[in-house]
Amino acid sequence: MFNFRVLKKSKKSSARTGVIQTPHGEIRTPAFLPVGTLGVVKGGLDSRDLTETGVQAQITNTFHFLDLDAVETVKKAGGLHKFFGFHKPIFTDSGGFQVFSLGEGMAYGFRKIHSFFPGKDTKLEKRDVSLVKITEEGARFRSPRDGREIMLTPEYSAEIQKKLGADFIYLLDICGTVVEDKTRAASDLGRTERWFERFLKVTNQDSNKKSRMSTNSQLTKNRQSIFGIVQGGLYKDLRIASAKAVSNLPVFGIAIGGAVGKTKKEMYDVLDVTIPHCDPLRPRHLLGIGDLETIPEFLKRGIDIFDCAMPTRIARHGTAIAKKGYININKSEFKNKFQPIEKGCHCKTCAAHTLAEIHFLLKGRETLAGRLITIHNLFFLENYLEEIRQKIEIGKF
């Protein structure tokens, strides 16, 4: 039911192609997962729109279903696939990113994991603002919607994700930041590993099993598989230790999360020391990062899956992705350009809409503009990755 096979390895780098088999179809890797925070991709797309872009799977957010008191509703509907009518593989994160974004991220005023102020001084001052308190028991939140208290433990995260019914679920972790010292990072990593053990007990797996498991035989009786998460902040020895520990857990895949650098170069350095210690028989997921500059760099280091909200977020603000880079359609230069976003593109947007029309819709604050650009951006990325997969296959990546 679940299986991962490496099909081709690059001779020039650690890039590789592969295929992940799931109960809801195959994922050809390297693969991009659009972020559907509430089970749908923002921008007004429904499941049919998403399928038409060629998207192979999506990742959605556990915490927000909890915050909206929707977990039991989704369970009664038969899980996320039936609730939203999306019949391809779905991933659910554990809620660990909200431990970061509503905690340290809010306290320091940054949202992204790396390069939060590119080209500027990255020294940040902590503010007395946070909606999260982390203890050994778990993460205690104040809801950003109504202020009520929410306690998210490893056990509760596991139970919620089981009810949501995604194909792939993630262990609850403490997401490291670029501002923590090594003592704090080591402490958080130790607590994260204890949380992993508690999570795995809920899913009826032996968290103490230390043998390297082939992904071909794991969890075949279940309709869900698990990803562990490598943490350790910016500290290479902690990253290596975490990668080795996660590789010894009975999990299907290995994700790399948390702070991976204040700059892109630092991110590449962290990946360079981390990935060689991740079990090569399992798919590797880089969490929350993916733009045109970084994608080739982390793929050649051996990443198989990545997710990022950037392609859909910039679409809602008027920016399209094309072979020549990013196109800000808000600019007046597009007022009379009666051509598609990308010549030769076969997406639904480029087949029927012009830059001039989309520019007009943006100026008029019509939500259709964001929807049209989102469709194009997702279609572009799927085709971009297909080209990369072909280049890896023939040894030209």
Side-chain angles (χ1 to χ4, degrees):
M1 193 171 292
F2 289 96
N3 184 27
F4 173 62
R5 291 181 295 120
V6 176
L7 299 178
K8 185 74 172 182
K9 296 180 180 178
S10 171
K11 293 181 180 179
K12 299 179 180 180
S13 69
S14 295
R16 59 188 191 174
T17 62
V19 59
I20 300 173
Q21 294 178 335
T22 82
H24 291 93
E26 293 185 345
I27 302 171
R28 291 168 292 114
T29 63
F32 165 65
L33 306 179
V35 177
T37 302
L38 296 177
V40 293
V41 172
K42 289 184 178 180
L45 276 66
D46 62 16
S47 294
R48 185 170 59 180
D49 292 325
L50 204 56
T51 300
E52 289 177 352
T53 65
V55 161
Q56 299 187 78
Q58 69 165 308
I59 187 167
T60 190
N61 188 281
T62 295
F63 173 81
H64 291 294
F65 282 91
L66 172 62
D67 191 27
L68 287 167
D69 193 26
V71 175
E72 294 300 328
T73 300
V74 173
K75 180 185 177 183
K76 289 177 182 177
L80 291 167
H81 296 89
K82 292 184 177 179
F83 190 66
F84 291 107
F86 184 74
H87 303 297
K88 293 188 176 185
I90 297 176
F91 296 63
T92 47
D93 69 1
S94 62
F97 184 74
Q98 277 63 49
V99 176
F100 158 77
S101 64
L102 298 177
E104 294 288 287
M106 180 175 287
Y108 283 94
F110 58 82
R111 296 176 58 190
K112 298 303 291 182
I113 295 175
H114 77 297
S115 297
F116 35 83
F117 291 131
K120 297 182 180 180
D121 185 0
T122 56
K123 183 178 179 181
L124 299 173
E125 294 184 1
K126 188 172 183 178
R127 302 173 297 177
D128 188 22
V129 179
S130 176
L131 297 179
V132 181
K133 182 178 181 180
I134 301 172
T135 66
E136 189 66 28
E137 182 184 3
R140 190 177 301 277
F141 294 86
R142 278 189 289 117
S143 168
R145 288 184 170 86
D146 58 22
R148 79 184 191 281
E149 188 174 276
I150 300 173
M151 186 66 187
L152 185 64
T153 66
E155 293 85 356
Y156 196 24
S157 175
E159 291 291 350
I160 293 170
Q161 292 187 79
K162 287 169 66 177
K163 291 177 179 179
L164 293 176
D167 300 272
F168 296 105
I169 66 179
Y170 285 69
L171 299 178
L172 181 64
D173 61 334
I174 300 173
C175 186
T177 75
V178 293
V179 294
E180 62 186 354
D181 59 27
K182 189 171 184 179
T183 300
R184 167 75 181 278
S187 176
D188 284 349
L189 180 58
R191 179 170 285 168
T192 288
E193 291 175 348
R194 294 190 293 275
W195 283 8
F196 286 177
E197 293 177 2
R198 290 163 54 190
F199 186 108
L200 289 169
K201 288 180 181 179
V202 175
T203 56
N204 297 317
Q205 296 184 68
D206 180 8
S207 62
N208 294 315
K209 187 172 182 180
K210 296 301 182 183
S211 62
R212 285 160 58 96
M213 297 177 64
S214 168
T215 57
N216 295 347
S217 61
Q218 289 184 73
L219 308 176
T220 54
K221 295 181 181 180
N222 300 325
R223 294 188 64 81
Q224 289 184 311
S225 276
I226 300 173
F227 272 71
I229 305 176
V230 175
Q231 290 290 351
L234 306 181
Y235 305 99
K236 296 178 181 179
D237 56 337
L238 296 182
R239 285 284 179 177
I240 292 171
S242 180
K244 291 179 177 178
V246 172
S247 293
N248 280 327
L249 292 175
V251 294
F252 181 85
I254 300 173
I256 299 173
V260 285
K262 295 179 182 178
T263 65
K264 291 176 179 178
K265 181 182 182 305
E266 285 187 5
M267 178 181 75
Y268 303 146
D269 290 343
V270 169
L271 294 178
D272 285 338
V273 300
T274 302
I275 292 176
H277 297 280
C278 296
D279 184 352
L281 298 177
R282 310 185 199 191
R284 306 157 181 154
H285 180 180
L286 182 59
L287 291 164
I289 297 171
D291 58 65
L292 291 180
E293 180 181 346
T294 61
I295 290 171
E297 292 297 326
F298 61 65
L299 291 186
K300 75 181 184 182
R301 287 166 169 81
I303 292 297
D304 302 299
I305 310 167
F306 65 98
D307 72 275
C308 187
M310 183 275 294
T312 54
R313 185 179 64 251
I314 63 173
R316 298 193 301 276
H317 294 281
T319 297
I321 309 175
K323 290 181 179 179
K324 63 181 181 181
Y326 299 103
I327 303 173
N328 184 355
I329 307 176
N330 290 290
K331 292 183 177 180
S332 59
E333 65 187 86
F334 297 107
K335 181 178 181 179
N336 294 308
K337 285 206 171 181
F338 304 103
Q339 62 191 53
I341 294 172
E342 180 107 274
K343 291 181 180 179
C345 176
H346 299 291
C347 77
K348 186 162 63 175
T349 297
C350 288
H353 303 274
T354 66
L355 284 163
E357 178 194 356
I358 298 171
H359 172 80
F360 170 78
L361 294 173
L362 286 168
K363 290 299 181 184
R365 300 183 183 277
E366 288 289 345
T367 57
L368 177 59
R371 178 175 178 271
L372 294 175
I373 302 171
T374 300
I375 288 171
H376 168 80
N377 285 359
L378 293 178
F379 186 93
F380 173 88
L381 278 173
E382 289 302 321
N383 281 270
Y384 174 66
L385 286 170
E386 176 59 25
E387 291 178 2
I388 288 178
R389 288 190 291 265
Q390 291 176 5
K391 289 179 180 179
I392 294 173
E393 292 286 341
I394 63 176
K396 291 188 176 181
F397 179 69

